[in-house]
Amino acid sequence: MHNSQRTQKIAFLFLFLATLLIVVPVGLIVVIIIQKGLPAINWQFLTDIPRQGMRAGGIFPAIVGTMYLVAGAIVFALPIGLLAAIYLSEYSKDNFLNRLIKLAIVNLAGVPSVVYGLFGLALFVIFLKFGASILSGSLTLGIMILPIIITASREALESVPDSFREVSLSLGASKWQTIRHIVLPNAVPGILTGTILGLGRAAGETAPILFTVAAFYLPRLPHSIFDQAMALPYHLYVISTQVPNVDEKIRYGTALVLLVLVLFMNLVAIIIRYKFRKKKKW
Amino acid sequence: MTPKIKIENLNLWYGSFQALKEINAAFLEKRITAIIGPSGCGKSTMLRVFNRMNEMIEGVRTKGNILIDKENILDADTDLVVLRKKVGMVFQRPNPFPLSIYENIVFGPKVHGLNNRYELEQIAEHSLRSVLLWDELKDKLNHFALSLSLEQKQRLCIARLIAVKPDILLMDEPCSTLDPQATSKVEELMRELKNNYTIIIVTHNMQQAARVSDDTGFMLLGELIEFGKTEDIFTKPKDKRTEDYITGRYG
Ligand SMILES: Nc1ncnc2c1ncn2[C@@H]1O[C@H](COP(=O)(O)OP(=O)(O)OP(=O)(O)O)[C@@H](O)[C@H]1O
Ligand SMILES: [Mg+2]
């Protein structure tokens, strides 16, 4: 009796330590980045173009570039991902082929991002002749986050109780009307959450944009979707490893901006999910 | 009197399991018919043949005829939208959509193409009046339907159904989640609705069948053992198995 209680306490301690082991490094990273980056953040840093070979000035073109890329990725990936999810959860029969497709999609989410980068280079930049451009970069990022969007949307659609579909059909609604008016509206929060998480991933990745869009140094805003652009993660890579003598402040400042952007998106996703959980009553 | 619904040699299989066996019966218009029988005997399956909801399940096969107003609804070219507008269903668990009360009621009409706000409001009022909820809810039409009580929810579901102007109401144990008081109110409502609709109710509760129904069918292991006037079934059953069931010898 006494012994088993002690075992439980020890097990609990181990579990707690394991959790701590995960939380502490993450916390440290955030703290260090804030500590070293915060002094760099000011209005000029956020709104000016890089100057003196990126050793001074701001990171405005990189912020804008990342925004464009993320927006482009979503315009491409959300409709396709959503349609695929609707097909998989509402229309496809539960057979071997479809289970294989679902499994493949889940696994695609784990493919290293540099592989997507190479794929984008081959397909969009070279084969389709889009060149290194916002278009190529957005499409590559879009393909990278498709599995995330499909999986999250599918889960959201499947979590809508079947009884709703049944009632709707029993009232004479068609299958599509049922999906459109009953299933989709109830799945929106889940779809949004997945989409935003995907966006956070798209904003933070370097490898997929490396060959497809990122400009080493382009101190102006892009003119069109066929233009190259700077982007935050790549800019961070460049000023950290490729350009000598960049002030540490600027590097950490850039990292901080990127971190805040991604954390902000995740925060929005969490809030949406939380609100929905509270409202959901069935 | 020609029957509203006539079942001829109906058989149904879930894969290789036969759930309905050679069923023949006739349901009369503007009456309440109860289907009783032990759990798993095929009552719900039978009910769901009338609006062909069984077809959502993979591997279901049906053989035989079901004539509603003399048309065989099991024909391959039956328009399911038309059929389901005519044959509505109330489910065991009250299941309003997570929408407002008003949106719940006008869902059917809207889906069927009605957009005129005035007409929709008329329908909403008429439907709520038919289920005796209008006075309670007329000032709360924009409230969230899931905040209603269980009984109100079930009434709302019936109102939602009435809004698509059906002829036939199928009810699968509509009171099984309600307390006795709410149950007796819903039963009262059913007697009221009988004036305008043909009602088929599945119930586990034999008192309920005796109280509300005009006709009763007793099912066992996928077969319709006996079918006739409720008073006859309950007072002088012809089949030994029916007698055993209504006297409580089947659990
Ligand atoms: N989707 C299905 N697939 C396979 N078998 C099924 C399916 N649905 C029902 N059955 C079987 O068919 C038989 C009849 O089921 P049904 O639901 O119609 O019974 P019921 O009389 O309504 O029972 P209850 O009183 O418990 O609701 C049962 O033996 C059940 O196991
Ligand atoms: Mg049943």
Side-chain angles (χ1 to χ4, degrees):
Chain A
M1 182 68 201
H2 195 78
N3 210 357
S4 82
Q5 245 176 26
R6 222 173 71 190
T7 317
Q8 175 159 336
K9 266 193 185 149
I10 291 171
F12 179 79
L13 189 72
F14 268 108
L15 292 175
F16 180 73
L17 284 179
T19 313
L20 215 61
L21 215 63
I22 301 165
V23 174
V24 168
V26 175
L28 270 182
I29 292 172
V30 173
V31 168
I32 291 174
I33 289 178
I34 290 178
Q35 202 179 34
K36 295 195 173 176
L38 207 55
I41 307 290
N42 56 39
W43 188 244
Q44 194 210 359
F45 185 69
L46 295 176
T47 58
D48 199 5
I49 59 170
R51 293 177 194 282
Q52 297 171 25
M54 297 183 265
R55 291 184 190 88
I59 55 169
F60 187 56
I63 296 177
V64 171
T66 288
M67 300 265 186
Y68 281 167
L69 287 173
V70 166
I74 207 64
V75 165
F76 168 67
L78 183 55
I80 294 183
L82 192 53
L83 289 177
I86 290 176
Y87 171 74
L88 288 173
S89 94
E90 304 294 323
Y91 287 97
S92 75
K93 294 220 166 72
D94 187 25
N95 58 26
F96 179 72
L97 182 69
N98 284 311
R99 255 176 284 164
L100 203 67
I101 292 177
K102 287 176 193 174
L103 192 68
I105 289 172
V106 172
N107 279 309
L108 271 180
V111 170
S113 55
V114 68
V115 175
Y116 284 105
L118 273 178
F119 174 75
L121 174 68
L123 181 63
F124 302 122
V125 178
I126 296 170
F127 183 71
L128 293 174
K129 299 196 173 66
F130 294 155
S133 62
I134 292 180
L135 182 61
S136 299
S138 295
L139 290 173
T140 308
L141 287 173
I143 288 185
M144 181 186 76
I145 62 173
L146 257 181
I148 303 175
I149 293 185
I150 293 176
T151 307
S153 303
R154 199 160 64 77
E155 273 162 16
L157 292 169
E158 280 168 7
S159 75
V160 176
D162 265 340
S163 66
F164 291 168
R165 294 180 180 79
E166 227 176 19
V167 186
S168 175
L169 292 172
S170 82
L171 288 167
S174 68
K175 183 144 188 165
W176 172 244
Q177 283 171 326
T178 301
I179 294 170
R180 166 79 188 70
H181 296 291
I182 298 298
V183 182
L184 268 184
N186 285 300
V188 160
I191 294 169
L192 271 185
T193 318
T195 306
I196 296 169
L197 290 178
L199 287 189
R201 170 113 195 264
E205 285 286 352
T206 313
I209 56 175
L210 193 58
F211 320 120
T212 56
V213 51
F216 186 79
Y217 178 58
L218 191 73
R220 60 169 172 81
L221 298 185
H223 296 310
S224 78
I225 57 168
F226 296 106
D227 211 352
Q228 277 191 285
M230 296 182 81
L232 282 171
Y234 184 61
H235 182 64
L236 182 59
Y237 165 73
V238 166
I239 57 177
S240 303
T241 62
Q242 309 294 304
V243 183
N245 303 328
V246 178
D247 192 351
E248 192 184 65
K249 213 171 68 171
I250 291 186
R251 283 189 265 139
Y252 278 96
T254 307
L256 182 58
V257 171
L258 182 57
L259 190 72
V260 167
L261 199 75
V262 174
L263 285 185
F264 175 75
M265 288 187 196
N266 284 286
L267 188 69
V268 172
I270 290 168
I271 291 174
I272 292 177
R273 202 160 37 183
Y274 176 72
K275 284 213 155 144
F276 182 63
R277 283 248 174 85
K278 264 187 19 189
K279 214 182 96 181
K280 188 153 110 173
K281 279 208 200 116
W282 59 80
Chain B
M1 195 152 90
T2 56
K4 182 77 179 168
I5 307 176
K6 196 157 188 295
I7 306 181
E8 297 173 345
N9 306 325
L10 179 69
N11 290 276
L12 183 143
W13 292 263
Y14 291 113
S16 59
F17 173 75
Q18 184 164 13
L20 297 179
K21 298 169 187 163
E22 280 298 313
I23 293 189
N24 286 283
F27 298 77
L28 300 178
E29 191 166 19
K30 296 194 178 152
R31 282 165 83 91
I32 299 179
T33 306
I35 300 176
I36 58 171
S39 194
C41 68
K43 306 182 295 292
S44 300
T45 304
M46 167 108 132
L47 206 61
R48 293 159 65 93
V49 181
F50 296 128
N51 61 352
R52 288 182 52 175
M53 288 295 283
N54 282 323
E55 285 168 31
M56 280 171 69
I57 300 164
E58 262 175 68
V60 169
R61 263 182 321 126
T62 318
K63 218 182 79 192
N65 298 322
I66 293 185
L67 306 173
I68 296 184
D69 292 330
K70 297 192 181 116
E71 269 179 65
N72 185 5
I73 59 141
L74 294 184
D75 270 350
D77 59 359
T78 300
D79 184 340
L80 286 185
V81 172
V82 174
L83 172 66
R84 288 175 184 166
K85 274 165 81 170
K86 183 164 167 168
V87 185
M89 184 159 216
V90 178
F91 295 79
Q92 184 167 1
R93 253 173 59 109
N95 50 7
F97 296 126
L99 301 168
S100 72
I101 292 169
Y102 176 78
E103 286 298 331
N104 260 285
I105 302 172
V106 299
F107 175 81
K110 270 187 170 174
V111 152
H112 297 126
L114 187 64
N115 284 315
N116 183 314
R117 188 157 175 98
Y118 175 76
E119 277 180 64
L120 288 174
E121 277 167 5
Q122 291 290 306
I123 289 177
E125 176 171 348
H126 168 256
S127 308
L128 277 178
R129 278 192 194 285
S130 314
V131 298
L132 316 174
L133 267 184
W134 175 250
D135 293 324
E136 259 167 88
L137 296 185
K138 64 175 182 239
D139 302 319
K140 299 185 186 167
L141 293 182
N142 292 319
H143 286 212
F144 200 49
L146 300 190
S147 63
L148 297 173
S149 74
L150 263 183
E151 184 208 337
Q152 287 175 322
K153 278 185 195 166
Q154 195 60 304
R155 282 170 184 264
L156 178 65
C157 291
I158 300 174
R160 176 175 63 184
L161 188 53
I162 286 174
V164 299
K165 304 196 170 75
D167 277 359
I168 299 167
L169 306 183
L170 309 172
M171 301 188 174
D172 195 347
E173 305 190 35
C175 301
S176 65
T177 59
L178 306 181
D179 61 42
Q181 208 183 352
T183 298
S184 81
K185 281 193 186 161
V186 171
E187 285 175 7
E188 206 174 298
L189 172 63
M190 285 166 57
R191 277 185 216 106
E192 178 85 26
L193 291 172
K194 188 171 81 168
N195 297 321
N196 298 305
Y197 305 93
T198 305
I199 299 175
I200 304 176
I201 175 178
V202 163
T203 176
H204 254 121
N205 179 334
M206 267 175 296
Q207 286 80 26
Q208 179 169 59
R211 278 194 304 263
V212 298
S213 70
D214 303 297
D215 301 311
T216 296
F218 169 63
M219 290 182 69
L220 192 63
L221 298 172
E223 282 179 77
L224 184 62
I225 304 293
E226 195 166 343
F227 189 92
K229 287 216 164 53
T230 298
E231 52 195 72
D232 295 345
I233 297 273
F234 279 90
T235 55
K236 39 184 192 264
K238 292 196 196 77
D239 196 292
K240 177 84 172 56
R241 290 165 293 180
T242 315
E243 190 183 336
D244 284 351
Y245 182 71
I246 57 173
T247 52
R249 255 168 273 175
Y250 267 100

